[in-house]
DNA sequence: CGCGGCTTTGATGTTCATCAAGTAAAGTGG
DNA sequence: CCACTTTACTTGATGAACATCAAAGCCGCG
């Protein structure tokens, strides 16, 4: 980062990978020349809210990581039913989930907010793993964490009644995603239903109940949680 | 494996790790001297059916892999409710699940059949990762697969009604675990309930229904699936 | 401006958990 | 080895939780 040949420094100054916050997480153990390599080979892409990034069944060519925005991982479980596996934001590595074990995607990914992603090919990624075992260890940690999160969320939600699920997910958006008790829901009521395993009608019904009980305020997509303790209680108890 | 010094060969002949079938899976990319290392440092343990191997909250010191038997991963989700995350047999690496991301176990592991496990410390494992990046890549693949399996099973079961869940799990034991349509259930009715998210009473009720409909025969713990096509239909449809 | 998708509310029916109660099996201590 | 306790299994009846159906208002978009 200091005592390198000038031309290199200059080249790298133009490489945004060097300082990409993502690097600090997954790529913390990367060598300088690997960063350079990465920078030349990575591709960037932008997706508008609603656009599909990858579809179930497509061949996995790349590691796709979210630099900015919000995406959903989902699966068509029947002709009429979709299951959302996870909603994840930048710096989370849900995208690590099956890229090392499957040839084709077993779920789809779509942007639910405007999203910028970077992609590096699996060959490149594997090359980096083979060349740098500290990087490999970092990947193991990230993948472990990502899987734990998904499994943890599943088991938590499964235990709860519908009111508890809604409470949980509203708090999840407030605490984990937006860090604020006021936010614009990035997903439709239908998508919430697909995420926590219930019907759209009941999502709406229960959100209305919460509104009537003065726990939240609703204005279309905008949610304001006015009684956090109460909502916490409903989430943990039920 | 051939052109090594005699003493080494002799030493290794006494090392069962060398030929442990596990090695062929997770440890396929391991160097000979790493095997020797592994062999000296690994510990073996035996657990009788019902014994707890690790408890939620304990510090994670080791990678524990099942050499023989059957174990369940489970979580106490409330004072009165247990959720079984996964039932896994030898050569499956469910044990990889959170060892790289957590300090303490977030679920417990117990033997549901007599089980023999090997343990190597996390330090040793990490050392092996750092020394041998092909091994690291192997671990990434195994962990990815293990996580996929759990998540896949969860989403599959969640979609189904109770009859479908029972059908699914009975077929799962037949196809994946025992490779036979006749087998002794290693788990109680209660544990099946904890695995597929329903009450014990309904597990029994529906198994009785299947018996009356001549889809299975039941004799205590022994199950014989007599109408596989029918059971498949119930599993996939409902 | 009209069509399709999203949202909302109410009424109805199904699925499933809970409760109750009894039998069988399996472990426990004298 | 037998009385005793506990744990697993089983069936039926009831009610609660939830999905489904139906109908209508809303909004964005071609």
């Amino acid at each position: 980062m200091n005592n390198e040949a000038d031309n290199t420094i200059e080249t790298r100054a133009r490489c945004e990978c060097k300082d990409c916050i993502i690097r600090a997480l997954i790529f913390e153990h990367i060598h300088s020349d690997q960063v350079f390599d990465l920078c030349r080979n990575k591709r960037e892409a932008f997706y508008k809210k609603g656009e599909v990034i990858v579809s179930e069944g497509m061949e996995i060519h790349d590691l796709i990581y979210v630099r900015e925005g919000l995406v959903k991982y989902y699966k068509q479980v029947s002709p009429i039913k979709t299951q959302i596996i996870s909603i994840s934001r930048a710096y989370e590595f849900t995208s690590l989930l099956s890229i090392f074990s499957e040839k084709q995607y077993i779920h789809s990914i779509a942007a639910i907010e405007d999203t910028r992603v970077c992609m590096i090919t699996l060959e490149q990624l594997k090359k980096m793993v083979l060349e740098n075992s500290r990087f490999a260890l970092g990947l193991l940690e990230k993948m472990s964490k990502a899987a734990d999160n998904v499994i943890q969320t599943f088991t938590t939600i499964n235990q709860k009644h519908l009111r508890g699920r809604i409470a949980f997910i509203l708090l999840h958006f407030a605490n984990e995603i937006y860090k604020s008790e006021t936010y614009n829901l990035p997903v439709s009521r239908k998508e919430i239903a697909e995420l926590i395993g219930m019907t759209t009608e009941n999502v709406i019904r229960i959100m209305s109940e919460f509104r009537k009980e003065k726990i939240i305020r609703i204005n279309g997509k905008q949610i304001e949680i006015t009684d956090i303790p109460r909502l916490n209680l409903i989430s943990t108890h039920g």
Side-chain angles (χ1 to χ4, degrees), chain A:
Chain A
M1 210 168 269
N2 26 38
N3 53 357
E4 290 158 338
D6 282 16
N7 66 332
T8 323
I9 286 177
E10 212 190 337
T11 316
R12 286 179 193 174
R14 277 186 265 113
C15 166
E16 55 186 281
C17 291
K18 195 176 127 217
D19 299 313
C20 173
I21 190 159
I22 301 291
R23 185 194 164 197
L25 295 168
I26 195 173
F27 297 141
E28 57 197 352
H29 298 307
I30 222 170
H31 298 319
S32 296
D33 36 342
Q34 276 188 321
V35 176
F36 185 56
D37 242 38
L38 180 64
C39 195
R40 277 185 316 171
N41 290 312
K42 73 125 200 308
R43 285 165 303 133
E44 229 175 306
F46 180 82
Y47 296 90
K48 285 189 101 66
K49 178 177 176 136
E51 286 186 312
V52 174
I53 300 172
V54 300
S55 296
E56 205 176 328
M58 275 175 53
E59 279 209 20
I60 304 180
H61 291 300
D62 306 280
L63 163 66
I64 297 173
Y65 56 89
V66 179
R67 288 196 55 177
E68 209 184 305
L70 205 61
V71 300
K72 64 172 175 180
Y73 294 77
Y74 62 102
K75 216 171 145 58
Q76 200 68 35
V77 288
S78 90
I80 53 158
K81 236 179 176 176
T82 304
Q83 159 105 40
I84 296 181
I85 313 282
S86 168
I87 287 180
S88 76
R89 59 195 202 295
Y91 325 144
E92 289 179 344
F93 289 88
T94 314
S95 55
L96 285 176
L97 271 186
S98 48
I99 59 171
F100 284 105
S101 58
E102 307 288 340
K103 293 280 177 228
Q104 284 100 24
Y105 283 102
I106 57 174
H107 48 240
S108 306
I109 310 177
I112 56 178
E113 286 182 353
D114 290 357
T115 292
R116 201 151 51 99
V117 303
C118 273
M119 295 177 280
I120 63 173
T121 65
L122 278 185
E123 295 99 277
Q124 168 89 3
L125 185 68
K126 285 183 183 172
K127 185 164 154 279
M128 283 164 61
V129 166
L130 293 177
E131 282 174 0
N132 182 343
S133 56
R134 287 193 59 80
F135 172 69
L137 195 54
L139 271 184
L140 281 165
E141 285 164 12
K142 299 302 174 195
M143 188 194 294
S144 184
K145 193 74 198 163
D148 276 359
N149 277 343
V150 172
I151 294 169
Q152 192 80 0
T153 306
F154 263 98
T155 60
T156 306
I157 286 178
N158 261 332
Q159 299 307 325
K160 297 184 193 301
H161 286 178
L162 298 200
R163 282 172 64 91
R165 294 186 192 182
I166 296 286
F168 175 86
I169 205 67
L170 290 177
L171 287 167
H172 177 77
F173 279 118
N175 298 331
E176 312 297 327
I177 313 259
Y178 295 110
K179 323 272 188 198
S180 159
E181 58 268 19
T182 305
Y183 54 85
N184 282 308
L185 265 184
V187 289
S188 67
R189 313 290 195 258
K190 181 154 160 278
E191 284 171 309
I192 294 181
E194 290 166 356
L195 179 59
I196 59 184
M198 50 193 282
T199 58
T200 312
E201 291 96 321
N202 279 330
V203 171
I204 292 162
R205 221 185 299 276
I206 288 164
M207 280 174 57
S208 293
E209 284 177 26
F210 287 174
R211 179 172 44 73
K212 284 172 201 156
E213 296 166 21
K214 303 212 182 305
I215 299 169
I216 60 174
R217 278 196 208 119
I218 308 178
N219 195 343
K221 294 276 188 192
Q222 186 175 330
I223 301 291
E224 181 187 353
I225 305 176
T226 49
D227 192 344
I228 292 186
R230 191 84 202 289
L231 204 56
N232 262 315
L233 209 70
I234 296 172
S235 171
T236 56
H237 140 279

